[in-house]
Amino acid sequence: MAAGAVPASFTGLKSKENGLGFAKSMNFVKVSDLQRVKFRRTKVSVIRNAANSGQETIELQPASEGSPLLVPRQKYCESIHKTVRRKTCTVMVGNVAIGSEHPIRIQTMTTTDTKDVAATVEQVMKIADAGADIVRITVQGKKEADACFEIKNSLVQKNYNIPLVADIHFAPSVALRVADCFDKIRVNPGNFADRRAQFEQLEYTEDDYQKELEHIEEVFTPLVEKCKKYGRAMRIGTNHGSLSDRIMSYYGDSPRGMVESAFEFARICRKLDYHNFVFSMKASNPVVMVQAYRLLVAEMYVQGWDYPLHLGVTEAGEGEDGRMKSAIGIGTLLQDGLGDTIRVSLTEAPEKEIDPCRRLANLGKRAAALQQGVAPFEEKHRRYFDFQRRSGELPAQKEGDEVDYRGVLHRDGSVLMSVSLDQLKTPELLYRSLAAKLVVGMPFKDLATIDSILLRELPPLDDTDSRLALKRLVDISMGVITPLSEQLTKPLPNAMVLVTLKELSGGANKLLPEGTRLVVSVRGDESQDELEILKSTDATMILHNLPYTEEKVGRVQAARRLFEYLSENSLNFPVIHHIQFPKETHRDDLVIGAGTNAGALLVDGLGDGLLLEAPDQDFDFLRNTSFNLLQGCRMRNTKTEYVSCPSCGRTLFDLQEISAQIREKTSHLPGVSIAIMGCIVNGPGEMADADFGYVGGAPGKIDLYVGKTVVQRGIQMEHATDALIQLIKDHGRWVDPPTEE
């Protein structure tokens, strides 16, 4: 037995024969009763957190296989096998309560110049009428703060009592001023008391670091005391792109740094007995965003904190791209019962954010109300806090194969589509719909061509034209999947055959010629005995297919259970997420449903592709949605990636117009990422994922970036798009748009 002090938010521990080695941290809690225990096949330490009597033990495990560095195996949600909303305290924002005992609140942000009181009031009323619960307004300086008093008074006179939030960066004095009239203050820990990040690696002694923390406390305390006095709420809102140099030097540009940045401010609030605050951990990359929120909640469980969460993916973009990124990030967390208020950040009018926001909230509300899930199971293999993809074993060529099966799946993520008999009657139109290149009417695979198709009904044996169309697809290594009953009655040469576990168990597949490729449909909630047949099956892929209309069984949890079974039994089949949407599904519901149900798995590296079906939806829409989802999960990249801010009162140009203009000229550059930012308030780090940046530097002037570095300043706006294209060319990333055939 041993005793020691372990940081409350430690980044790791090193086990030693006598005692412990500690990671750098400023706050320590007392820990006792350290002992070595067996965890799987490795001895690890289990420690009791004496600072939190309600907390049981923190279980440690190796950071990676064979690593001497131990990290906490912490829970990040109430349950991994069903959706249970995380219990939180209640935070009051004006007359609106946020927390687990209340509905998921919907909010957005104005885009008007805050000094234009009439325009801002008009927009707030429009947002309130659309159904938002809370509205945020940017407050850059004293003039904007003064305007806030007029905005608030004008709204009250018009009988609009929607709570108002002041968005503050770099301006503690402005925050103090506006706290006199607004209901909530949003502070960014990365720039409230720190200077703008210069992306410098700084060396800190413990004393240096402590002095900076004391400076933060000195600057932040007056605002906390004022909010406490007047009953104002606060959001401690970390942005991945605007961490301070101090945090990045100590913790890296990482989810861990995001959490520690917020905790520095939260500890000051708690020290002053102020608890009316929420947390947020926003990033433009949904994968980073999900990891940061999980780590935040895991740390709160260790600390015994229960503050609510504001969820959002920042700079998500516009249209289906923006909705998809938000669904991947926000929807993933809602499936785990995390999130108490949400914002879908779109490069569109703010009132347009409310509808997709409500659809997401309803999805989370329904899952939690029904406690959708599966029977309890032990989860050992999923990585909660860092991305590690489970790559299924791609099809290999076998002796005796008449065609090349290696192309039926793609290494970076596959897209499958359901095709009808009617589509086979017009082969060239079908090939174009599958995004194949056509050369003299013959199809060839391209960058974003469908990998395999599902054909629920085969053409009659005497329909030679349709069968020729299918042969041409098989010849370019596109998989054709058809049900067992169809293949037995109307066999198609070299088709892959879709079978159920029941058919496998009954041996029906043995009626097929030897060497036939099998595709197995699995729900994920079957008994262990039912899944056992997979151990003796040579499957080319698995389709995870749980009916969308299931009330109690959760698709995400069923898939996690399936992946756990496969990993535990060393079965490395590729798994395709197969979602069949019912008729009359709204387009936004389809995008949000796919982003939530498949995205929640892909952000954990679980899955090798998608098959989305919706009987009354446009074929091209389903194909594009599938590729958007893979790209949003940082898998297969088939088009230009945009990091586009949603606009606010700081924006220095018409963001929607300029964004559309840039997309029109650059959308054909897969592998290139472009940030379009109305201003640089969140720092160049907000463009961390972008290769090139187009940023408002001053009214009518644009600055261009390569990565985080500004390379051209003060370009006249009318010349800026051409300058951006030239910059892309100068760095060898430009290709001319393809000519239409």
Side-chain angles (χ1 to χ4, degrees):
M1 303 292 284
V6 176
S9 60
F10 49 89
T11 52
L13 308 172
K14 257 190 188 172
S15 61
K16 297 182 180 178
E17 284 198 17
N18 300 308
L20 295 168
F22 303 108
K24 291 180 182 177
S25 182
M26 304 311 302
N27 256 21
F28 291 89
V29 294
K30 188 120 172 128
V31 172
S32 60
D33 294 335
L34 174 75
Q35 60 185 117
R36 300 288 282 169
V37 299
K38 289 282 279 187
F39 177 74
R40 280 184 252 167
R41 292 179 293 277
T42 311
K43 282 188 176 180
V44 301
S45 299
V46 176
I47 55 181
R48 183 172 301 282
N49 185 346
N52 174 16
S53 57
Q55 178 72 25
E56 294 183 356
T57 58
I58 306 168
E59 195 175 272
L60 304 178
Q61 64 179 19
S64 58
E65 196 70 36
S67 170
L69 182 69
L70 300 181
V71 296
R73 182 176 174 82
Q74 295 157 267
K75 79 172 190 175
Y76 72 90
C77 62
E78 290 294 315
S79 170
I80 60 163
H81 59 83
K82 62 182 177 179
T83 302
V84 179
R85 196 161 170 197
R86 169 181 164 261
K87 295 294 182 187
T88 75
C89 63
T90 293
V91 166
M92 293 302 301
V93 183
N95 57 0
V96 172
I98 296 176
S100 59
E101 299 304 310
H102 312 283
I104 297 169
R105 301 301 186 185
I106 292 167
Q107 56 180 285
T108 184
M109 188 173 185
T110 58
T111 58
T112 52
D113 181 347
T114 307
K115 297 190 297 296
D116 187 339
V117 173
T120 304
V121 167
E122 186 68 29
Q123 194 170 70
V124 170
M125 292 192 298
K126 192 180 288 187
I127 289 166
D129 292 341
D133 298 305
I134 299 168
V135 181
R136 181 159 44 114
I137 297 173
T138 188
V139 189
Q140 307 96 296
K142 187 178 181 303
K143 289 180 181 177
E144 287 80 7
D146 290 343
C148 288
F149 287 83
E150 295 181 58
I151 292 167
K152 181 73 172 180
N153 289 336
S154 181
L155 286 166
V156 170
Q157 288 169 14
K158 296 173 186 289
N159 291 319
Y160 280 82
N161 293 309
I162 188 167
L164 303 179
V165 183
D167 193 58
I168 303 293
H169 298 266
F170 304 109
S173 61
V174 173
L176 277 171
R177 170 81 171 134
V178 79
D180 284 327
C181 66
F182 272 18
D183 305 283
K184 181 179 175 185
I185 309 295
R186 180 272 170 120
V187 297
N188 183 341
N191 60 33
F192 186 81
D194 285 300
R195 62 176 184 152
R196 187 191 299 276
Q198 305 300 309
F199 303 97
E200 299 170 350
Q201 186 65 34
L202 305 176
E203 290 296 325
Y204 282 92
T205 65
E206 295 286 343
D207 286 343
D208 292 337
Y209 201 98
Q210 187 60 39
K211 283 176 184 172
E212 293 231 3
L213 292 179
E214 289 168 2
H215 169 67
I216 291 171
E217 185 168 353
E218 182 183 334
V219 173
F220 187 48
T221 293
L223 178 62
V224 175
E225 290 176 334
K226 190 164 196 176
C227 287
K228 183 179 176 182
K229 179 180 178 181
Y230 291 114
R232 308 300 188 212
M234 191 182 294
R235 169 158 69 97
I236 300 174
T238 305
N239 271 19
H240 181 227
S242 54
L243 297 176
S244 67
D245 285 330
R246 174 178 50 78
I247 284 288
M248 286 193 285
S249 296
Y250 226 63
Y251 297 95
D253 184 11
S254 65
R256 164 65 62 185
M258 294 170 69
V259 173
E260 184 57 29
S261 182
F263 267 38
E264 289 177 352
F265 280 66
R267 292 181 193 117
I268 296 166
C269 291
R270 289 176 59 82
K271 182 178 177 180
L272 297 169
D273 195 27
Y274 171 74
H275 302 279
N276 200 41
F277 65 89
V278 304
F279 282 114
S280 68
M281 298 276 125
K282 294 195 179 184
S284 58
N285 180 335
V287 177
V288 171
M289 174 263 196
V290 167
Q291 290 170 6
Y293 275 103
R294 285 176 176 170
L295 189 58
L296 170 76
V297 176
E299 292 285 346
M300 281 205 277
Y301 275 124
V302 171
Q303 299 286 349
W305 296 0
D306 61 353
Y307 300 107
L309 298 177
H310 166 124
L311 304 184
V313 176
T314 189
E315 278 80 43
E318 64 184 6
E320 284 152 20
D321 284 2
R323 286 160 176 78
M324 179 61 78
K325 280 187 187 177
S326 293
I328 293 166
I330 297 171
T332 295
L333 296 166
L334 290 175
Q335 285 289 321
D336 280 322
L338 305 179
D340 305 288
T341 177
I342 63 177
R343 183 207 173 180
V344 174
S345 299
L346 300 175
T347 310
E348 299 176 24
E351 63 273 14
K352 293 290 182 69
E353 296 182 353
I354 305 305
D355 181 65
C357 211
R358 185 183 293 111
R359 292 176 191 274
L360 258 175
N362 288 341
L363 209 63
K365 176 185 174 183
R366 182 173 181 270
L370 295 171
Q371 293 205 347
Q372 289 177 333
V374 292
F377 65 97
E378 185 180 6
E379 193 173 45
K380 302 175 186 174
H381 296 86
R382 182 164 64 99
R383 301 285 289 268
Y384 309 152
F385 304 121
D386 63 334
F387 180 82
Q388 186 170 313
R389 187 177 165 202
R390 171 205 177 271
S391 293
E393 189 174 331
L394 294 174
Q397 235 14 44
K398 297 179 182 177
E399 189 176 343
D401 282 342
E402 296 176 0
V403 295
D404 189 352
Y405 287 101
R406 290 172 295 182
V408 303
L409 293 176
H410 193 284
R411 67 181 184 278
D412 296 327
S414 305
V415 172
L416 285 67
M417 294 285 289
S418 179
V419 168
S420 68
L421 281 180
D422 283 345
Q423 287 174 285
L424 289 174
K425 292 174 182 175
T426 51
E428 285 200 20
L429 283 178
L430 172 62
Y431 301 152
R432 290 182 189 278
S433 295
L434 298 172
K437 273 185 179 177
L438 282 180
V439 179
V440 230
M442 299 292 286
F444 291 88
K445 278 197 170 181
D446 202 358
L447 183 72
T449 303
I450 298 303
D451 300 291
S452 292
I453 62 171
L454 171 63
L455 197 60
R456 295 188 182 280
E457 186 180 353
L458 286 173
L461 291 171
D462 59 358
D463 186 348
T464 53
D465 290 343
S466 293
R467 288 185 167 252
L468 177 61
L470 289 171
K471 181 182 183 302
R472 285 178 174 161
L473 293 177
V474 171
D475 287 345
I476 62 169
S477 198
M478 184 178 292
V480 176
I481 304 168
T482 194
L484 175 65
S485 58
E486 286 292 298
Q487 184 66 3
L488 289 174
T489 54
K490 296 177 281 186
L492 178 74
N494 305 306
M496 297 187 291
V497 179
L498 181 64
V499 294
T500 64
L501 290 177
K502 187 175 181 180
E503 288 169 335
L504 283 177
S505 298
N509 58 299
K510 293 176 183 174
L511 299 171
L512 296 165
E514 188 177 345
T516 299
R517 300 284 181 139
L518 298 180
V519 176
V520 186
S521 182
V522 182
R523 285 173 55 99
D525 64 339
E526 295 92 345
S527 69
Q528 294 284 321
D529 289 344
E530 290 174 287
L531 293 172
E532 284 293 298
I533 190 69
L534 291 174
K535 293 180 182 178
S536 56
T537 301
D538 183 15
T540 299
M541 68 183 90
I542 287 177
L543 299 187
H544 174 245
N545 183 14
L546 186 75
Y548 201 76
T549 51
E550 279 282 355
E551 284 287 314
K552 289 289 288 181
V553 182
R555 167 177 289 277
V556 171
Q557 293 84 358
R560 287 174 181 167
R561 180 177 177 272
L562 172 62
F563 281 109
E564 188 62 36
Y565 177 85
L566 296 176
S567 296
E568 193 67 15
N569 291 283
S570 302
L571 300 174
N572 205 24
F573 305 128
V575 178
I576 303 300
H577 298 297
H578 183 189
I579 305 178
Q580 294 173 271
F581 292 94
K583 283 185 177 179
E584 299 180 0
T585 299
H586 189 281
R587 277 196 170 199
D588 278 359
D589 283 331
L590 191 148
V591 170
I592 288 166
T596 297
N597 288 291
L601 297 154
L602 295 175
V603 294
D604 282 333
L606 302 178
D608 300 275
L610 300 160
L611 170 52
L612 304 181
E613 291 189 85
D616 48 3
Q617 288 291 355
D618 179 70
F619 194 88
D620 289 350
F621 166 71
L622 289 173
R623 186 192 67 234
N624 292 334
T625 298
S626 300
F627 280 111
N628 286 348
L629 178 46
L630 290 180
Q631 186 154 329
C633 292
R634 296 307 191 259
M635 291 176 66
R636 188 169 173 182
N637 199 315
T638 52
K639 64 178 186 178
T640 313
E641 179 78 12
Y642 296 98
V643 178
S644 180
C645 81
S647 186
C648 70
R650 295 183 177 89
T651 302
L652 297 167
F653 55 83
D654 186 327
L655 200 65
Q656 292 182 53
E657 181 184 330
I658 295 297
S659 177
Q661 185 185 110
I662 292 173
R663 285 169 184 264
E664 183 184 356
K665 295 185 177 182
T666 62
S667 61
H668 64 287
L669 302 172
V672 174
S673 179
I674 300 172
I676 308 167
M677 312 290 284
C679 71
I680 201 58
V681 69
N682 283 331
E686 201 64 72
M687 303 180 293
D689 277 348
D691 302 307
F692 304 97
Y694 179 108
V695 181
K701 300 289 179 68
I702 300 299
D703 297 340
L704 296 182
Y705 284 72
V706 175
K708 297 176 182 178
T709 306
V710 61
V711 292
Q712 295 180 48
R713 291 188 187 274
I715 303 168
Q716 292 291 337
M717 187 172 295
E718 57 267 29
H719 305 305
T721 301
D722 290 337
L724 172 65
I725 291 170
Q726 188 58 50
L727 186 64
I728 296 170
K729 289 179 177 178
D730 292 345
H731 283 76
R733 305 293 298 277
W734 180 265
V735 294
D736 289 329
T739 53
E740 285 295 323
E741 199 174 310

